[in-house]
Amino acid sequence: MASARQIRSTFIEYFKKNGHEVVRSSALVPQGDPTLLFTNAGMVQFKDVFTGREARDYKRATSSQKCIRAGGKHNDLENVGRTARHHTFFEMLGNFSFGDYFKADAIRFAWELLEQYGIDKKRLMFTVFGGDKTLGIEADDEARALWRKVTGVSDDKVLGLGLKDNFWMMGDTGPQGPCSEIHYHQGDHLPCPEPRCLGPACDCDRWLEIWNLVFMQYEKKTAGGPLERLPAPSIDTGMGLERLTAVIQGLMTNYDTDLLRPYITRAEALAKKTYGKDAEDDVSMRVIADHARASAFLIADGVFPDKAQREYVLRRIFRRAVRHGKRLGIDEPFMHLVCGDVVDQMGADFPELTERRPTIERVTLEEETRFRQTLDRGLKLLDEEIAGLGGGKQIPGGVVFKLYDTFGFPTDLTAIIAGERGLTIDQAGFDAAMARQQAQGEFAGQDAAVNDLYKSLPQELGKTEFLGYEGRGEQGAGDIQLILVGGARVKSAGAGAKVEVVTKATPFYGESGGQIGDTGMLETETARVRIEDTQKPAGDVVIHRGVVDSGMLQTGQRATLMVDGDRRDRVRANHSATHLLHHALRKVLGEHVTQKGSLVAPDKLRFDFSHFAPMTEDEKRTVEELVNEEIRANEDSRVDVMAFDDARKVGAMALFGEKYGDKVRVMRIGRQSVELCGGTHVRRAGDIGLFKITSETGVAQGVRRIEAVTGAGALEHVRRLEAELGKAGAALKAGPFEVADRVLKLGKELKEREREIEALRGKLASGGARDLMADVREVAGVKLLVTRTEVADPKALREVGDKLRERIGSGVVVIGGADLAGGKVALLALVTADLVGRFHAGKIVGEVAKAVGGKGGGRPDLAQAGGTQPENLDSALALVPGLLA
């Protein structure tokens, strides 16, 4: 029986032999696509190729794309584990033609490969587009005829279906077209709700769709506009590896295939239960199997569990798996073990899993440990709220939000627990609470502000040639292709105009990969432009943003471009330092450390990385020293351009969130740091000069941030530290290396003085040398002690009051403390236990407090109050005998 790996390999190799470029899977986080939360189909990474915005050096491609369908409109998480084929993570096998072959070859390729797999052709049916009058499109008789010709099947084996089933659209605009699906008959023994099964058009499980061939032959240029035929029709096909594997391995459920069964086996061992013996236990094991794959792959692509958008989807998936583990009786953290199995099973085909294994295991262990700690407390709160509902059947939205915000309960988890107890949740109330705290709304994605004009530039102008790698790379020339003023195209722009300029070639680096854009000057025969920023808002087109200082700038002119060299050198030093810092952090903290973001500016660098605790002073010092050792070693930097897969083989680190082409730049800084990077760097490590960490903080769960300075910036930072140390030394009358000892000594002296002051306050509050018990008098047959002290410290009064109450035996004690300089009064009233029924300390002290501009109260036996009129304290205390009488 063929394994899933063999099935995947057979697919890729078949299309490779048929002239297709093998393209590696893109990341689960789409780059430059504001419409998608996650990559959810094989065609996503080719979207710009289909629309013509991007050109590649091949016309045919094939891939096995990792996909996530969860969150957003894919909100059926509760079905995962309960059906045979619902998944959050899956692989999409696909073959693509960009204006090359069309229906005939697509159908022929599909049929030949299915025959190679040995799938029983008698079990197959094919659907084609049956036409739609509203669109004015005829039935796809061409595809129907091709299926009959290629396969030899009878006409009743080719079914025509409508717009909903067999017409594919990318969106309101863009390429679209009819599609043809291949369906596999699983057997009539499976139940069907219809009196007579409708075949592939039916919603039952008898027929399983295994492959969809999309024939992109139309384009809608405007929303609501007409469909127009594409001059070069294209092909986009998709086949789920999980479904295909189940069919080839003769299994009725994807979970029994070797893609998922190993994780169920692990769940069996952890829970000490047997799969197949209890339906609900089986659901829990399938949930763990599916969610472990999704968790491992998402973390490998840089998504960590948290409360925002993609991160929240992962948290929901992960915590659902943990709760199902608890339901199975798994009482210790386990998901890091199952995710480790995912790395073992799939790391050979997806090397990012192996490379980021320490991160995957560390993140999952931390998240599960944290969730288990809050789960019981959250459940206790939920139980209390449910008990307080009385006969109510809905948990308030505020409670649901508190469980989400404080205890990390995804709303669907709260809904499940509520449902198990016959209750619902107030979703609208939760949404309102969420909106009040976070005005984040729906997923907006990245680069949402990039307008249609920017998006059209790569296709119109082509890639901007970057000259910044050559020599010093600070000066070059290029023809002006485009001038924008206020977002509109212009032929020319005069002095004072704020412009965006595109040239055919430039030495200016457009902001990307954390490195900010260059500044400098652009000159032509007729104009001089001060460049204030450089950006890459869409594709590889570089846009220079600046102000025309003088003259008239015109399109078509030859321009000389000059980068601010001093600023570029400082940026270069900071960028190279981030590479050395990354390597040092992994060496000191562990291989779970990976870059999560960066900012490379001329005055500083900022580096975000995965780690789960604040760094100690020793760790920071060691990291700093490792970086400076590399700087002092002053090794030559080295750049190699090679294929992406070759770069991974030589150990180059690929960074989260970056989109890499087929050819990549491998940057070696110092003796050991090797990363994929398109930025500008120092020629030798020694050019960095000096590296100094200025701060280390936390920015999100599992993400730390280091800010640092290099070169002249580091020297300036050291000088500022010296100046501050000098000021402190002068104030303490100590040398710079004696300041710490002097501060420690002063701290000890201060604590001794505080203890002395505390003792003196107590002595003063108790009357000093005078015995306060001498002021005891009898009122209404009760001993009463009313006294004044010059200490308004409540703690001191309480200590004295407790002693006096003990000494008086039976009676009432009222003490007033005055701080004339501070304008404060402290009052204390105590009633012995035998008199609590007759007198109330809170009421007594409350009346006295009114007379000194304050208020207060307390228990019947002890009460405290305060005031702001110490000059009235004597007259206020004189009220006490009357209050008792």
Side-chain angles (χ1 to χ4, degrees):
M1 182 173 65
S3 69
R5 286 198 71 196
Q6 291 169 329
I7 293 168
R8 183 197 296 116
S9 176
T10 297
F11 184 95
I12 297 297
E13 287 301 316
Y14 172 82
F15 283 103
K16 183 179 179 181
K17 289 176 184 176
N18 282 280
H20 291 64
E21 180 78 12
V22 178
V23 181
R24 69 181 181 277
S25 172
S26 64
L28 287 169
V29 178
Q31 293 299 302
D33 190 334
T35 66
L36 290 177
L37 194 63
F38 296 110
T39 299
N40 60 8
M43 62 77 57
V44 169
Q45 66 168 312
F46 303 114
K47 189 173 180 179
D48 287 344
V49 184
F50 283 121
T51 59
R53 292 195 183 102
E54 180 185 346
R56 300 195 183 183
D57 56 5
Y58 48 82
K59 291 288 189 180
R60 301 178 174 193
T62 185
S63 68
S64 181
Q65 175 65 50
K66 53 191 179 183
C67 299
I68 291 283
R69 285 187 184 171
K73 66 180 180 180
H74 303 291
N75 200 23
D76 54 354
L77 189 61
E78 282 310 304
N79 283 328
V80 177
R82 295 194 175 276
T83 71
R85 274 169 288 280
H86 265 88
H87 300 293
T88 55
F89 173 89
F90 63 96
E91 281 184 68
M92 184 72 82
L93 302 170
N95 59 291
F96 310 91
S97 165
F98 312 116
D100 186 29
Y101 63 83
F102 199 44
K103 293 181 186 178
D105 283 332
I107 289 172
R108 177 175 61 83
F109 288 150
W111 183 247
E112 285 180 0
L113 183 55
L114 292 177
E115 284 189 313
Q116 187 172 328
Y117 280 133
I119 294 176
D120 184 358
K121 64 178 71 175
K122 294 178 183 177
R123 287 176 171 259
L124 296 177
M125 278 190 71
F126 313 95
T127 63
V128 296
F129 181 55
D132 187 90
K133 292 181 180 179
T134 61
L135 289 177
I137 302 176
E138 298 293 330
D140 194 352
D141 292 332
E142 180 187 6
R144 176 186 290 273
L146 284 167
W147 278 119
R148 293 191 61 189
K149 176 183 176 182
V150 170
T151 67
V153 298
S154 57
D155 194 57
D156 63 343
K157 288 284 189 176
V158 185
L159 184 66
L161 296 179
L163 193 67
K164 176 177 175 289
D165 295 297
N166 277 75
F167 196 90
W168 182 89
M169 305 178 189
M170 185 181 286
D172 291 334
T173 61
Q176 42 197 275
C179 60
S180 182
E181 297 172 347
I182 303 172
H183 292 258
Y184 178 81
H185 186 232
Q186 297 195 99
D188 289 333
H189 64 285
L190 294 172
C192 178
E194 301 294 333
R196 182 178 179 183
C197 183
L198 303 175
C202 196
D203 289 332
C204 70
D205 285 335
R206 292 182 181 181
W207 287 91
L208 176 68
E209 178 200 333
I210 58 173
W211 204 342
N212 187 15
L213 317 180
V214 178
F215 309 131
M216 292 188 186
Q217 61 192 82
Y218 300 104
E219 181 180 22
K220 188 181 285 189
K221 293 182 177 178
T222 59
L227 283 178
E228 301 177 24
R229 281 194 173 269
L230 286 169
S234 298
I235 291 292
D236 159 29
T237 86
M239 177 160 58
L241 176 62
E242 289 75 13
R243 290 189 178 199
L244 177 63
T245 302
V247 167
I248 292 174
Q249 293 181 353
L251 302 168
M252 298 302 295
T253 164
N254 297 352
Y255 289 95
D256 287 335
T257 69
D258 59 339
L259 283 166
L260 287 150
R261 192 58 173 86
Y263 317 126
I264 292 175
T265 301
R266 167 71 86 161
E268 285 180 295
L270 290 165
K272 297 180 176 60
K273 293 187 175 183
T274 302
Y275 184 67
K277 283 197 171 182
D278 179 271
E280 287 304 310
D281 285 351
D282 291 352
V283 169
S284 293
M285 292 184 201
R286 290 193 291 266
V287 165
I288 290 168
D290 175 272
H291 292 4
R293 292 208 308 169
S295 298
F297 273 90
L298 281 170
I299 294 167
D301 276 355
V303 180
F304 288 8
D306 213 329
K307 293 181 182 178
Q309 298 176 346
R310 294 184 179 102
E311 292 78 6
Y312 182 53
V313 173
L314 172 56
R315 172 164 281 175
R316 287 179 60 205
I317 290 170
F318 186 85
R319 293 191 168 186
R320 181 172 183 249
V322 173
R323 185 165 184 269
H324 275 277
K326 282 181 70 71
R327 191 201 155 277
L328 288 170
I330 306 173
D331 295 326
E332 298 295 327
F334 68 94
M335 279 293 284
H336 64 291
L337 300 174
V338 189
C339 288
D341 292 343
V342 175
V343 177
D344 292 337
Q345 292 286 327
M346 306 189 75
D349 299 297
F350 297 93
E352 64 272 20
L353 289 172
T354 303
E355 180 181 312
R356 291 164 185 162
R357 180 183 199 123
T359 304
I360 293 166
E361 293 181 343
R362 186 76 180 269
V363 169
T364 51
L365 180 58
E366 290 282 339
E367 174 70 6
E368 182 169 358
T369 301
R370 185 178 291 107
F371 181 48
R372 283 179 177 272
Q373 290 170 349
T374 61
L375 183 60
D376 291 338
R377 284 185 285 145
L379 289 172
K380 183 180 178 183
L381 170 67
L382 190 55
D383 287 339
E384 291 171 354
E385 292 295 336
I386 290 172
L389 287 176
K393 292 294 183 181
Q394 188 176 72
I395 299 172
V399 175
V400 179
F401 180 76
K402 184 176 181 181
L403 286 165
Y404 159 82
D405 192 49
T406 305
F407 298 99
F409 275 43
T411 53
D412 51 346
L413 173 58
T414 305
I416 292 166
I417 298 170
E420 290 171 351
R421 305 181 191 194
L423 304 173
T424 62
I425 65 169
D426 175 15
Q427 185 66 46
F430 169 82
D431 292 340
M434 174 68 84
R436 285 193 295 270
Q437 190 202 54
Q438 301 174 342
Q440 291 180 343
E442 302 253 336
F443 172 71
Q446 295 174 305
D447 302 322
V450 177
N451 60 36
D452 290 338
L453 173 60
Y454 286 154
K455 288 182 177 179
S456 69
L457 295 182
Q459 182 181 5
E460 176 187 342
L461 304 178
K463 178 180 179 180
T464 303
E465 182 185 358
F466 182 56
L467 308 173
Y469 299 138
E470 302 170 3
R472 284 189 60 81
E474 293 167 8
Q475 183 167 329
D479 296 332
I480 296 177
Q481 297 175 289
L482 176 72
I483 303 173
L484 300 175
V485 175
R489 297 169 183 261
V490 296
K491 294 288 185 181
S492 60
K498 292 184 177 180
V499 294
E500 294 179 299
V501 183
V502 179
T503 57
K504 185 65 177 173
T506 181
F508 281 71
Y509 185 83
E511 180 172 329
S512 61
Q515 180 175 329
I516 67 172
D518 282 325
T519 62
M521 299 299 298
L522 179 154
E523 294 181 353
T524 69
E525 289 182 350
T526 61
R528 180 179 171 86
V529 182
R530 183 174 71 256
I531 304 300
E532 298 174 339
D533 190 18
T534 311
Q535 292 288 326
K536 291 171 65 177
D540 291 317
V541 174
V542 175
I543 291 183
H544 309 81
R545 292 175 175 163
V547 178
V548 180
D549 275 350
S550 61
M552 182 66 68
L553 186 70
Q554 299 175 335
T555 57
Q557 287 186 312
R558 186 73 169 170
T560 300
L561 301 105
M562 296 158 286
V563 175
D564 181 336
D566 179 63
R567 183 178 182 275
R568 163 76 72 82
D569 283 343
R570 286 181 282 135
V571 170
R572 216 187 322 242
N574 282 335
H575 197 161
S576 296
T578 63
H579 285 223
L580 297 180
L581 172 61
H582 192 183
H583 185 268
L585 286 168
R586 287 172 64 84
K587 197 168 184 179
V588 173
L589 302 179
E591 292 187 359
H592 66 279
V593 170
T594 47
Q595 179 175 332
K596 293 285 287 174
S598 68
L599 171 69
V600 180
D603 57 330
K604 68 176 182 180
L605 66 90
R606 187 178 71 211
F607 188 82
D608 297 345
F609 59 99
S610 53
H611 191 52
F612 303 90
M615 291 177 67
T616 66
E617 291 302 316
D618 281 345
E619 287 170 341
K620 284 185 279 188
R621 191 179 302 110
T622 303
V623 165
E624 201 173 77
E625 183 54 38
L626 286 173
V627 174
N628 283 303
E629 280 179 10
E630 291 295 326
I631 293 170
R632 290 192 298 273
N634 199 24
E635 291 284 328
D636 284 334
S637 299
R638 180 177 149 197
V639 182
D640 295 300
V641 178
M642 61 182 74
F644 180 86
D645 291 338
D646 292 337
R648 297 294 287 268
K649 289 174 185 175
V650 301
M653 286 198 66
L655 305 183
F656 288 138
E658 290 297 315
K659 184 178 180 180
Y660 298 105
D662 295 326
K663 293 289 185 181
V664 292
R665 295 180 81 243
V666 178
M667 196 75 222
R668 300 174 189 269
I669 308 289
R671 294 170 292 190
Q672 294 177 304
S673 172
V674 185
E675 291 189 12
L676 304 184
C677 186
T680 58
H681 287 277
V682 297
R683 289 182 297 282
R684 298 177 68 87
D687 294 346
I688 298 170
L690 174 66
F691 173 82
K692 183 67 183 164
I693 295 174
T694 58
S695 69
E696 190 271 341
T697 56
V699 292
Q701 182 178 314
V703 181
R704 306 295 300 175
R705 170 174 292 170
I706 280 180
E707 293 196 7
V709 286
T710 66
L715 186 59
E716 176 59 25
H717 180 74
V718 171
R719 284 173 176 163
R720 285 179 58 198
L721 290 175
E722 283 181 340
E724 289 299 313
L725 191 59
K727 289 178 187 177
L732 294 168
K733 295 182 175 59
F737 297 107
E738 298 170 348
V739 169
D741 288 340
R742 182 74 178 121
V743 169
L744 288 172
K745 185 178 180 182
L746 285 174
K748 289 179 181 178
E749 292 176 358
L750 184 60
K751 285 184 178 179
E752 290 175 5
R753 298 290 183 272
E754 287 175 348
R755 283 195 292 269
E756 291 175 5
I757 291 169
E758 194 71 25
L760 289 171
R761 277 181 179 161
K763 189 174 182 181
L764 184 60
S766 62
R770 185 171 69 88
D771 185 2
L772 295 179
M773 291 298 292
D775 294 336
V776 174
R777 54 192 288 198
E778 190 169 306
V779 175
V782 175
K783 286 188 283 185
L784 170 66
L785 172 58
V786 180
T787 188
R788 170 185 174 131
T789 179
E790 302 310 312
V791 176
D793 178 20
K795 182 181 177 183
L797 294 188
R798 176 72 182 271
E799 290 176 357
V800 171
D802 287 341
K803 292 177 182 177
L804 291 174
R805 179 168 55 179
E806 187 178 334
R807 289 181 66 190
I808 205 170
S810 174
V812 177
V813 178
V814 178
I815 307 173
D819 178 358
L820 293 172
K824 293 190 299 184
V825 174
L827 298 169
L828 176 72
L830 303 100
V831 176
T832 55
D834 61 311
L835 298 175
V836 165
R838 292 180 58 189
F839 306 109
H840 193 291
K843 293 180 180 179
I844 294 171
V845 84
E847 291 299 319
V848 178
K850 291 177 185 177
V852 290
K855 59 182 179 179
R859 305 196 310 263
D861 63 324
L862 184 149
Q864 291 179 287
T868 59
Q869 300 166 4
E871 66 275 12
N872 296 332
L873 179 58
D874 289 339
S875 58
L877 292 174
L879 298 172
V880 177
L883 294 173
L884 262 68

